[in-house]
Amino acid sequence: MDTDNHFYNNDNNNNNHNNGAATVKIDSHVEMGSVEPKPAFEYEDQSLVGPDKHSLDEAPLRSLYSGGPGDCSPQAMGNTVVDSIKIVVFSAKINLLMPFGPLAIVVDKFSGHRGWVFLLSLLGIVPLAERLGYVTEQLACYTGPTVGGLLNATFGNATELIISIYALRRGMIRVVQQSLLGSILSNMLLVLGCAFFAGGLVFSKREQVFNKATAAVSSGLLLMAVMGLLFPAVLHSTRTELHFGKSELALSRFTSCIMLVAYASYLFFQLKSQQNLYVPVDQAENHAEEISDGEEEPEISKWESIIWLSILTAWISVLSEYLVNAIEGASVAMNIPVAFISVILLPIVGNAAEHAGAVMFAMKDKLDITLGVAIGSSTQISMFGIPFCVVVGWVMGCPMDLDFQLFETATLFITVLVVAFMLQEGTSNYFKGLMLILCYIIVAASFFVHRDPKAIRDKPQKPKQ
């Protein structure tokens, strides 16, 4: 690489007087990490040279949200309706599960078997969640990194939030709390564990390296979220509330607003203030080469992305209603605790596409993106998803709070500590991944035998006359 660049720079110096403008552009391309020299006529248009320095700084950040390593070039032309349907609906093999969604509605109408309705709805949501992430990534190509980050923060976990809102409407506060908690545990233990394990097997001769600064910031936010959940739970358990039944709810709503402000500050810090913090120093050249080689145009246009985003969100909302309505019946029919369904089954299926993506990036030795998918998603849920549901419940008149009970809060606290210790060295191997997977199995077994009398329904009761 050094020899090629040295030879090529000498060649540029020899031709400097002949074609000065072209030489400057070619030199800028060499700085970006290009391996092969390109003829001068290919650089007549500045847009063909590649991203400038500013876009190079932003691209790795955007990839942490979109789940892709490359930058996007928003030059896609509009497709016909048929072409757009082919790209979005028929381009991924996971879309073979889409017919399970309508089948769940048919089963609910004609048989009413809650167990089957729950399973079919669960399977039908899997491809919709994956396609929603794909369309959001396409739309992010047309926006700046700040708007793209906000889009992915909002729609990256839209499936869990939609399910939570429908559960709130039915007064199933414990289901909302446990499903959001399960999403955090699933991403931090199962997703990250599988990614470390698969990546460690592929690169068994050495340890994989990731940016410790990014992991430290995310771990700090997760600990802040644990603090926000811990105080209401301890306040309730110790019976030290100033106004019993009211102080806990008021504290939860106040803390949720603070957590939303903290998450907004985190986005600004990540995307504007400290961009260089998220580019590994020892991998800067590799990142530049990946961005230059991985630049690709979006497959669908801006308005197509918006339309598909609306369609997929609406369809997920429909299936989420059937899913939530079938949780209680499915628990009885399959003899499975509601806590296990909420904490284990819902998050695994809802995040199936993210799980696969994180493992694939780890197997390609792109652990920074893997952490962006796994730890970043946990941060979004803990600092945005949970407080957002508290605020939505506040608006709906539903007493959603941050009291996750001591068992769930202790589980989250220990999980954050274990993952933080795993990430502090900035390296990973298959043994660390195996330990995280085994920890998740212990958590799953604990919730399978955990009995929560408030899990079915937690509607506010009217005082007796």
Side-chain angles (χ1 to χ4, degrees):
M1 180 71 178
D2 295 334
T3 306
D4 292 341
N5 286 336
H6 179 71
F7 174 77
Y8 187 41
N9 288 330
N10 289 338
D11 184 66
N12 287 338
N13 293 331
N14 293 336
N15 293 283
N16 186 39
H17 298 287
N18 297 331
N19 197 349
T23 304
V24 173
K25 295 177 181 178
I26 294 175
D27 282 338
S28 66
H29 188 77
V30 172
E31 290 177 0
M32 290 163 50
S34 177
V35 178
E36 298 180 359
K38 298 187 182 232
F41 66 86
E42 292 188 11
Y43 300 91
E44 294 292 335
D45 187 357
Q46 181 64 30
S47 64
L48 299 179
V49 179
D52 55 11
K53 183 180 183 298
H54 183 66
S55 63
L56 277 176
D57 291 336
E58 294 175 347
L61 301 176
R62 194 180 305 136
S63 68
L64 293 180
Y65 285 101
S66 62
D71 199 0
C72 295
S73 177
Q75 301 175 359
M77 303 297 292
N79 299 299
T80 64
V81 175
V82 176
D83 291 338
S84 183
I85 293 175
K86 287 181 179 179
I87 293 173
V88 177
V89 178
F90 297 105
S91 61
K93 294 181 179 179
I94 196 174
N95 292 342
L96 294 174
L97 297 176
M98 279 190 177
F100 286 108
L103 186 59
I105 299 177
V106 173
V107 171
D108 181 73
K109 296 297 183 183
F110 291 97
S111 72
H113 192 284
R114 295 300 184 184
W116 281 109
V117 173
F118 176 79
L119 290 176
L120 293 174
S121 301
L122 210 58
L123 293 175
I125 287 177
V126 173
L128 298 178
E130 190 275 334
R131 290 289 88 185
L132 188 66
Y134 165 79
V135 172
T136 305
E137 180 181 350
Q138 296 291 304
L139 183 60
C141 291
Y142 298 94
T143 64
T146 303
V147 178
L150 291 174
L151 283 173
N152 283 278
T154 304
F155 290 99
N157 294 297
T159 304
E160 292 90 339
L161 294 179
I162 292 173
I163 293 175
S164 299
I165 291 173
Y166 273 101
L168 280 177
R169 289 179 58 184
R170 297 201 61 198
M172 303 168 67
I173 296 177
R174 292 296 291 155
V175 171
V176 176
Q177 292 176 333
Q178 291 174 341
S179 63
L180 294 175
L181 172 71
S183 182
I184 299 173
L185 299 177
S186 174
N187 280 293
M188 294 185 67
L189 294 178
L190 183 62
V191 179
L192 194 62
C194 290
F196 280 1
F197 184 75
L201 291 180
V202 174
F203 299 94
S204 58
K205 302 294 183 181
R206 61 176 177 84
E207 286 190 326
Q208 293 180 284
V209 181
F210 54 84
N211 191 342
K212 291 191 293 185
T214 309
V217 173
S218 298
S219 299
L221 278 175
L222 289 170
L223 285 173
M224 179 181 177
V226 170
M227 184 178 70
L229 300 180
L230 184 62
F231 288 154
V234 173
L235 190 67
H236 176 76
S237 300
T238 57
R239 305 292 181 179
T240 55
E241 299 175 81
L242 181 62
H243 301 288
F244 184 76
K246 295 182 179 180
S247 298
E248 174 191 336
L249 183 60
L251 176 62
S252 297
R253 290 170 175 173
F254 176 78
T255 304
S256 296
C257 294
I258 298 298
M259 291 169 69
L260 289 175
V261 172
Y263 185 72
S265 303
Y266 166 65
L267 287 180
F268 179 82
F269 172 82
Q270 197 176 33
L271 298 169
K272 289 289 186 181
S273 179
Q274 296 288 334
Q275 293 181 354
N276 294 332
L277 180 65
Y278 294 88
V279 180
V281 177
D282 57 343
Q283 298 180 12
E285 295 184 0
N286 294 335
H287 272 285
E289 292 177 8
E290 291 172 4
I291 297 164
S292 177
D293 296 337
E295 183 177 357
E296 57 183 15
E297 295 182 1
E299 297 179 346
I300 56 179
S301 66
K302 178 181 178 180
W303 285 107
E304 287 178 82
S305 302
I306 295 175
I307 293 172
W308 277 112
L309 198 64
S310 303
I311 293 174
L312 291 171
T313 303
W315 185 225
I316 289 176
S317 301
V318 172
L319 287 183
S320 297
E321 185 174 6
Y322 284 91
L323 180 69
V324 170
N325 292 337
I327 288 179
E328 299 172 9
S331 174
V332 176
M334 297 186 293
N335 196 23
I336 297 177
V338 175
F340 184 83
I341 292 177
S342 302
V343 177
I344 305 300
L345 295 184
L346 290 181
I348 288 180
V349 176
N351 296 327
E354 292 182 357
H355 294 192
V359 172
M360 288 177 60
F361 285 124
M363 295 175 68
K364 295 178 181 178
D365 201 19
K366 298 176 181 178
L367 283 187
D368 289 313
I369 301 176
T370 296
L371 289 177
V373 174
I375 304 299
S377 182
S378 298
T379 304
Q380 289 170 14
I381 289 292
S382 60
M383 295 297 295
F384 175 76
I386 294 177
F388 176 76
C389 288
V390 173
V391 174
V392 170
W394 189 2
V395 174
M396 296 169 55
C398 183
M400 168 75 180
D401 55 29
L402 297 179
D403 179 16
F404 277 43
Q405 306 298 317
L406 283 180
F407 181 80
E408 287 88 346
T409 306
T411 303
L412 178 62
F413 179 62
I414 296 173
T415 297
V416 172
L417 286 183
V418 170
V419 174
F421 276 109
M422 292 288 185
L423 299 180
Q424 67 177 352
E425 295 180 352
T427 61
S428 73
N429 49 56
Y430 69 89
F431 180 66
K432 287 185 177 181
L434 180 61
M435 285 193 291
L436 291 177
I437 295 174
L438 295 178
C439 287
Y440 186 75
I441 294 175
I442 294 175
V443 170
S446 300
F447 277 97
F448 190 80
V449 298
H450 174 57
R451 181 180 179 273
D452 183 9
K454 299 175 64 178
I456 297 295
R457 191 178 295 268
D458 195 11
K459 285 186 176 180
Q461 298 179 356
K462 296 181 180 180
K464 295 182 179 179
Q465 299 294 336

